[in-house]
Amino acid sequence: MEKLLSTIKKIKDLDYNQKFEIKKLFANPDTLEAQRNQMKSINPKATPDEVEKRVFNLVVRDNVFNAIMNYIVTCYEFSIDKSEIEKYSERVKTIYKNAPAEKINEITEITLKKTLVFSELAKLWDIRTTDEETKNSLQNYYKMTNNPIRDILENKNQFEGYRQMIQDQKITAEIIMRFRNVKIDLPKPDTNKPQEQTGK
């Protein structure tokens, strides 16, 4: 993502001992379906049970991440540029096709805040992603999926987008690793289905 007009300012230090408790899982149905399809394409021999188990683990991880992020944003003050809400909401509409305009704007603002927070955390924790790492990751992706990568390697914007995706994955992993005080207290397995996402 290009340089933002929206700004961020730290107002308190992060408390890595902050407690988090997950009592219910939330997931977007479209995201769940995309994750299932991705699992099947990466590992065509996986059984339906194996696919569901991996998707479930991703949902748990996403819920833990979201709980931690909800805390992290309270440590910062944001000034969100209204023109950027309008600009980036167009991208959000392509993902959440049936969401009302108010919901699209809310998701866009959350996305902008996440981008700003990730930029701050990358500096705080000195997390970087080199061209070499990006190329190696693309080569591994090609070996696993046999999907072409030449367009990404030859297109600067696509290459930077892929690099940013790797960088975001690193920061996400670092967040989950640093905030370890997480208790997962879910209902019994027979009722333990992710709820359709109505909040964030």
Side-chain angles (χ1 to χ4, degrees), residues 57-73:
N57 288 339
L58 282 175
V59 170
V60 172
R61 190 173 189 267
D62 283 349
N63 277 259
V64 169
F65 169 77
N66 288 336
I68 298 170
M69 274 299 287
N70 286 341
Y71 159 70
I72 290 175
V73 296

Side-chain angles (χ1 to χ4, degrees), residues 1-107:
M1 194 181 269
E2 54 267 42
K3 185 169 172 58
L4 296 174
L5 299 171
S6 301
T7 59
I8 184 172
K9 179 178 139 188
K10 189 170 83 167
I11 54 175
K12 62 181 178 182
D13 290 333
L14 298 171
D15 176 8
Y16 298 117
N17 294 313
Q18 179 75 22
K19 292 180 182 177
F20 302 95
E21 190 168 6
I22 309 297
K23 291 190 171 184
K24 189 184 282 189
L25 297 179
F26 295 93
N28 180 285
D30 295 335
T31 305
L32 285 177
E33 196 55 36
Q35 286 172 337
R36 284 190 189 100
N37 292 334
Q38 188 179 23
M39 291 293 176
K40 289 172 190 171
S41 70
I42 290 172
N43 188 359
K45 293 178 182 177
T47 66
D49 279 353
E50 287 171 337
V51 169
E52 287 307 311
K53 187 174 181 181
R54 288 180 189 176
V55 169
F56 177 78
N57 288 339
L58 282 175
V59 170
V60 172
R61 190 173 189 267
D62 283 349
N63 277 259
V64 169
F65 169 77
N66 288 336
I68 298 170
M69 274 299 287
N70 286 341
Y71 159 70
I72 290 175
V73 296
T74 67
C75 299
Y76 293 92
E77 191 174 83
F78 300 88
S79 176
I80 302 297
D81 188 279
K82 295 298 178 193
S83 69
E84 286 183 325
I85 294 281
E86 292 174 24
K87 180 179 177 181
Y88 293 109
S89 66
E90 292 305 313
R91 296 182 192 180
V92 175
K93 282 178 196 172
T94 64
I95 302 167
Y96 299 90
K97 296 180 175 67
N98 300 317
E102 190 178 302
K103 186 69 181 170
I104 292 289
N105 287 344
E106 182 189 329
I107 294 167

